[in-house]
Amino acid sequence: MISHFLLAPAALAVANPAPAQPAAEPQVAAEAGADDTAIVVTARRRAENIQDVPVAISVVDGATLDSKGVFNLNRLTQLQPSLQFFSTNPRNTFINIRGIGAPFGLTNDGFEQGVGVYVDQVYYNRIASATLDFVDVEQIEVLRGPQGTLYGKNTTAGAINITTRAPSFEFEGRAEVSIGNLNFKQAKASVSGPLSDTLAARISVSATDRRGTIYNVATDTWINSQDNVGVRAALLWKPTETFRITFSGDWNLQDPICCGQIYARLGTTQRVASRQYPALTALFPGYQVPSTNPFDRVTDLDADIAARNELGGLSVRAEWDVGPGTITSISAWRYWNWGPKNDRDFTGLPVYTKVNNPTKQDQWTQELRYAFDTGRIDAVVGGFLFYQKIRTSGVQESGPAASAWLLNPSSALSKNPAVLNGVIAENDIRLDNLSLAGFAKLNWKAGDRFTVSPGVRINYDKKDGYYDSVVTGNASNGTRQLVTNDTTHPYYNDPWIAAQRGLQSSQFFEPGFSAWNLSFDLNLSYQLSDDVLGYATYARSFKTGGINLNGVPNLSNGLPALEVAQIKPEKVDHFELGLKSQFWDRQATLNLAAYWTEIRDFQASVISNISGSSTLRGYLANADKVRVRGVEADFSVRPSDRFNAYLSGAFTDHRFVRFVDAPCPPELAGGGTGTPPGPPSTPGANSPANCDVSGQWLPGISRWSFAWGAEGNLPATLLGKDGEVYLGYEASYRSTFSSNASRSIYTDVRGYSLHNIRFGFRDDSLDIFGWVRNAFDQNYYESLAVTPGNTGLISAQLGDPRTFGGTISYRF
């Protein structure tokens, strides 16, 4: 549903929360029935209970996040059934709401995300920010459905709005320390107070450190560790009651030994047996993967791995009450420095010795809006400017095992390690991205109970790209030469250069994209009774087009296929019906939503079927049409101060309505070309260049997902302090989902459930508790992936094992 107003200034506030009662569950906190715990919405310039706002939204407050150990968005998914999070490293991170948001598999700086991430109303374009720890968070709102007719960046799937704690004119502070197994250590601290009658400040710090969960026998280290630190500072100047400016700055660093995907299983592809994993590893006497059971949590990755992820920025938010409303200006600059090192062959063999694509990005945003309320009409009008600059300088180098692993074994060149050893691709990739928008949203009270809310947005986007990959390797005479497709090059017919050109060749092109787009929505709401609200929404939205910045297929003349350098915009039609209700003297809530979303020109991974193409290569393009529809339910109950419980669930039906040039699953890939067979998951068929996956699942989406939990407490005294002991439990479940761009018999991730338990004591200032996460030590995959080359090797990103520890938190 279109929940635009919830992203305006001072979006949500808890009315009179009991200090010793942190909200024990996401929906109780967000949609509590009891008046003393109701969430109040002030985004439409008046106080409203969230139950009176016709939108699909889930809110989790800071106390809930802290008590449940939810310190990043990955853990938030266990509380939000409609939120999906996938990350093999910070750059390869995807966040989807209701199953849509980002194309699955390929990472490309030239396309946009469908889920917007906002921190204190500042848009974060790099989804890598989602992998960092939260720093002094007040609350998080997850908005489901297209956003954009109110303010900020347009998003087609929803938005995640993170609000940090604001500077206070009363002195306050908080400190928290946690320790646990796997050498887990976490510390958080914040302090706030007045500097003068008109000036207040807040500073917050957070640090997390944990040993890795996978042991690398090749380097004698634990990998996939955690090593995060963050600092945030804010200064509030309030010279009058009608004018205020907030200055904010933050710096965050993530520098773990990460990220490695490990051996999960083998599949049979259409390659000849001599070019599949068992035969290829047999070419290296004595080599054996440390374990074929991924949950032994061992690997032998031999290349350096790293995931240095640094983000920071500055912002200024000015708010001025003028007439019946408020003018808000938000100016921000942010930067992102990404320093990765990867093992792209996923083995202990030196096939690739370097696959590193460090990136530097700067972004500037400016938003200006006016929100006013005249009684029967309230509205927001505004504009948004976004500019982004990305510079990537990458390198990929193959090693002495590459010839045997990558060349046809029937060729004598495959027996010579020198042929592909030291082949280097040096990449220079650039993007300049400009977006301008104007928007307006109106609420008209057509009657005492009926409200009509239309919205409109006009958007202009322009992207200028630059891709230059220079590949060099040794010719058969030992001379270092450019690996090129230019038939006039003197070494074009050299057999070594020809073999290297089959691995990778130089390519240069300068793609661009620009377009205007108009989107709009209409929301109708009717207050059926004082405690029941019904609403309906239609949105015509879009996700802007993009450009391919990871290379494109080459034509037979050696030139890049520029016709696929652009990615067309997505066109979204979204329908939704909802009902919000309170009952049992407003101590319980039940909220229902049903939606139907159709997307034409869905941005997805495809495989080249370009006439005249000399290579078979994956890139981002457009699937004809996808459909996602579903039903969501959120129930919460708080019969007394001593007990509360919640249950949230989502059913999601999802499919490619028409997608005829999808990449084939591994069981059909690697053998040549031919007519696409019937079901793409049928092994043994002839091997097409691409597959028709119309009617199949979208990747990453479970049909069923649930989150549930409860907390009870009893009065108690500890060390002379009167408080309460409490026991909390929360759990989540998601059913089987596909983990490949095209569904494969080898990459379905089986459904799993996770269970967490907390037990502790708290009073008005102290909270001390023990916790167990993944209490039953469930072995599960976060994702499975087909490794490059279609050798049949499937790699895994493992979920965390059982972890346990204790936390002490003190407020003053």
Side-chain angles (χ1 to χ4, degrees):
M1 300 176 192
I2 315 302
S3 182
H4 312 285
F5 291 104
L6 297 176
L7 293 177
L12 298 176
V14 180
N16 302 318
Q21 295 277 345
E25 70 292 311
Q27 296 307 324
V28 169
E31 301 164 1
D35 289 343
D36 63 347
T37 56
I39 293 295
V40 177
V41 179
T42 59
R44 296 197 283 192
R45 304 333 241 169
R46 62 185 184 276
E48 299 176 287
N49 188 311
I50 194 170
Q51 290 297 107
D52 298 328
V53 180
V55 296
I57 179 174
S58 300
V59 182
V60 187
D61 69 9
T64 301
L65 297 170
D66 294 336
S67 65
K68 289 177 168 57
V70 178
F71 56 86
N72 56 36
L73 285 179
N74 187 16
R75 294 194 170 187
L76 184 64
T77 61
Q78 296 182 31
L79 305 180
Q80 304 288 338
S82 296
L83 182 67
Q84 298 92 33
F85 181 97
F86 306 97
S87 180
T88 54
N89 62 48
R91 185 171 185 262
N92 287 11
T93 296
F94 308 92
I95 297 178
N96 289 343
I97 293 176
R98 293 172 170 172
I100 55 178
F104 200 89
L106 289 178
T107 298
N108 188 325
D109 289 329
F111 73 92
E112 304 286 342
Q113 300 289 332
V115 175
V117 176
Y118 300 85
V119 179
D120 293 334
Q121 305 179 54
V122 175
Y123 175 66
Y124 282 39
N125 182 261
R126 295 312 309 178
I127 212 70
S129 62
T131 65
L132 292 171
D133 289 359
F134 300 144
V135 180
D136 206 16
V137 169
E138 179 71 25
Q139 63 192 16
I140 298 177
E141 304 121 47
V142 178
L143 295 85
R144 306 191 289 274
Q147 309 298 315
T149 64
L150 182 81
Y151 88 115
K153 194 77 167 68
N154 183 73
T155 57
T156 55
I160 299 171
N161 188 36
I162 302 172
T163 303
T164 66
R165 294 182 175 95
S168 169
F169 281 96
E170 294 184 4
F171 182 74
E172 62 181 39
R174 180 175 177 272
E176 178 183 293
V177 175
S178 300
I179 59 172
N181 66 326
L182 304 180
N183 296 329
F184 175 77
K185 300 176 289 294
Q186 186 176 71
K188 303 177 184 178
S190 65
V191 63
S192 182
L195 301 180
S196 71
D197 291 341
T198 60
L199 200 63
R202 176 179 289 273
I203 186 168
S204 309
V205 296
S206 173
T208 303
D209 184 77
R210 193 185 75 178
R211 194 203 74 187
T213 57
I214 297 171
Y215 180 66
N216 189 342
V217 300
T219 58
D220 189 27
T221 57
W222 290 91
I223 67 170
N224 294 6
S225 60
Q226 295 177 1
D227 185 1
N228 305 340
V229 62
V231 179
R232 173 175 289 274
L235 193 66
L236 172 62
W237 181 47
K238 191 176 180 181
T240 71
E241 289 300 315
T242 60
F243 183 73
R244 53 209 168 271
I245 298 180
T246 303
F247 304 89
S248 299
D250 67 282
W251 176 81
N252 307 272
L253 177 64
Q254 184 181 53
D255 195 16
I257 304 174
C258 192
C259 298
Q261 293 83 58
I262 69 172
Y263 180 107
R265 60 177 64 135
L266 292 180
T268 301
T269 75
Q270 294 297 310
R271 276 187 156 198
V272 296
S274 61
R275 302 199 70 184
Q276 298 194 44
Y277 183 88
L280 291 173
T281 55
L283 296 174
F284 301 90
Y287 178 74
Q288 186 175 0
V289 64
S291 175
T292 57
N293 178 4
F295 295 104
D296 286 341
R297 299 182 182 270
V298 294
T299 189
D300 61 348
L301 301 179
D302 59 322
D304 291 339
I305 61 172
R308 192 179 194 277
N309 184 33
E310 181 183 352
L311 298 102
L314 301 170
S315 68
V316 179
R317 183 174 74 245
E319 297 162 295
W320 184 22
D321 298 335
V322 177
T326 299
I327 297 173
T328 301
S329 171
I330 306 167
S331 308
W333 162 75
R334 297 205 58 77
Y335 78 95
W336 176 58
N337 292 337
W338 167 234
K341 296 179 181 179
N342 300 296
D343 192 326
R344 190 170 179 264
D345 56 74
F346 303 93
T347 72
L349 299 169
V351 181
Y352 291 99
T353 56
K354 293 179 182 178
V355 183
N356 311 330
N357 284 285
T359 292
K360 293 183 180 294
Q361 177 202 302
D362 291 274
Q363 73 166 57
W364 293 264
T365 56
Q366 173 61 55
E367 184 170 343
L368 183 66
R369 62 179 184 263
Y370 182 58
F372 63 91
D373 187 351
T374 62
R376 298 193 68 85
I377 291 178
D378 64 82
V380 175
V381 295
F384 179 71
L385 179 148
F386 169 83
Y387 176 71
Q388 174 190 42
K389 181 177 73 173
I390 300 179
R391 299 295 184 261
T392 299
S393 55
V395 61
Q396 176 175 294
E397 182 174 355
S398 54
S403 297
W405 192 268
L406 300 173
L407 299 180
N408 193 319
S410 63
S411 167
L413 296 180
S414 68
K415 310 297 191 295
N416 186 345
V419 175
L420 295 187
N421 186 32
V423 175
I424 299 175
E426 295 180 298
N427 303 320
D428 183 0
I429 305 171
R430 308 174 193 175
L431 173 68
D432 291 276
N433 183 8
L434 173 68
S435 181
L436 303 171
F439 49 84
K441 184 71 173 179
L442 171 72
N443 288 314
W444 171 47
K445 290 185 177 179
D448 291 339
R449 292 183 175 271
F450 182 53
T451 302
V452 179
S453 303
V456 66
R457 178 189 185 93
I458 187 168
N459 217 91
Y460 173 72
D461 293 283
K462 187 176 190 299
K463 292 180 170 66
D464 294 308
Y466 178 95
Y467 180 87
D468 187 14
S469 181
V470 177
V471 182
T472 56
N474 287 328
S476 55
N477 63 2
T479 304
R480 196 75 179 169
Q481 293 292 331
L482 183 71
V483 178
T484 176
N485 286 317
D486 181 4
T487 58
T488 65
H489 194 280
Y491 284 89
Y492 180 80
N493 293 318
D494 182 279
W496 283 34
I497 297 294
Q500 295 161 10
R501 190 168 60 248
L503 173 66
Q504 189 172 358
S505 59
S506 299
Q507 188 176 83
F508 173 81
F509 62 100
E510 295 181 277
F513 171 88
S514 64
W516 288 90
N517 207 298
L518 179 70
S519 58
F520 53 88
D521 58 50
L522 177 64
N523 177 275
L524 305 176
S525 63
Y526 188 79
Q527 196 77 45
L528 301 172
S529 71
D530 290 344
D531 293 330
V532 181
L533 174 72
Y535 55 93
T537 298
Y538 168 71
R540 178 61 187 271
S541 186
F542 78 101
K543 183 164 76 173
T544 184
I547 53 179
N548 275 296
L549 287 177
N550 276 2
V552 296
N554 282 322
L555 301 174
S556 56
N557 61 6
L559 297 177
L562 296 181
E563 64 267 32
V564 299
Q566 285 192 358
I567 309 165
K568 292 187 289 186
E570 292 183 353
K571 306 172 187 67
V572 182
D573 287 293
H574 176 79
F575 306 85
E576 190 152 357
L577 295 173
L579 189 73
K580 290 191 170 186
S581 63
Q582 305 175 88
F583 50 97
W584 291 344
D585 196 23
R586 294 192 172 185
Q587 296 189 54
T589 64
L590 176 61
N591 295 339
L592 304 172
Y595 64 92
W596 186 303
T597 303
E598 294 187 347
I599 305 177
R600 288 177 291 155
D601 293 325
F602 180 74
Q603 295 170 359
S605 303
V606 306
I607 288 289
S608 168
N609 62 346
I610 302 166
S611 176
S613 175
S614 62
T615 57
L616 191 65
R617 183 170 188 169
Y619 56 95
L620 283 172
N622 300 91
D624 291 324
K625 187 176 182 180
V626 304
R627 184 189 71 215
V628 180
R629 57 189 179 183
V631 178
E632 299 165 337
D634 297 311
F635 170 75
S636 66
V637 61
R638 186 187 292 270
S640 74
D641 291 341
R642 297 299 173 201
F643 180 77
N644 57 71
Y646 70 97
L647 171 63
S648 300
F651 168 76
T652 309
D653 177 64
H654 52 95
R655 65 188 64 250
F656 291 106
V657 176
R658 188 171 189 273
F659 190 10
V660 299
D661 54 355
C664 288
E667 58 266 33
L668 293 181
T673 60
T675 303
S681 58
T682 304
N686 59 342
S687 177
N690 43 53
C691 286
D692 183 350
V693 299
S694 303
Q696 290 194 18
W697 286 2
L698 292 169
I701 310 176
S702 296
R703 288 177 65 85
W704 296 96
S705 56
F706 297 94
W708 66 95
E711 183 184 295
N713 66 77
L714 292 172
T717 300
L718 179 66
L719 300 177
K721 288 180 172 288
D722 293 330
E724 60 192 26
V725 292
Y726 62 92
L727 177 65
Y729 163 75
E730 54 268 351
S732 62
Y733 167 79
R734 63 179 306 181
S735 62
T736 297
F737 64 92
S738 168
S739 187
N740 195 51
S742 298
R743 192 180 180 192
S744 166
I745 58 176
Y746 304 127
T747 57
D748 272 3
V749 174
R750 294 178 58 185
Y752 58 88
S753 64
L754 300 174
H755 304 261
N756 307 323
I757 300 171
R758 297 169 287 113
F759 177 76
F761 170 87
R762 64 186 172 219
D763 62 14
D764 289 344
S765 58
L766 177 68
D767 192 357
I768 179 169
F769 61 96
W771 44 265
V772 182
R773 300 186 60 83
N774 189 6
F776 303 120
D777 203 19
Q778 171 72 58
N779 287 330
Y780 67 101
Y781 299 116
E782 291 188 340
S783 63
L784 293 169
V786 179
T787 59
N790 290 312
T791 67
L793 174 63
I794 306 297
S795 66
Q797 181 79 17
L798 302 183
D800 279 350
R802 176 170 52 220
T803 57
F804 53 87
T807 297
I808 300 176
S809 176
Y810 184 74
R811 295 188 301 273
F812 56 89

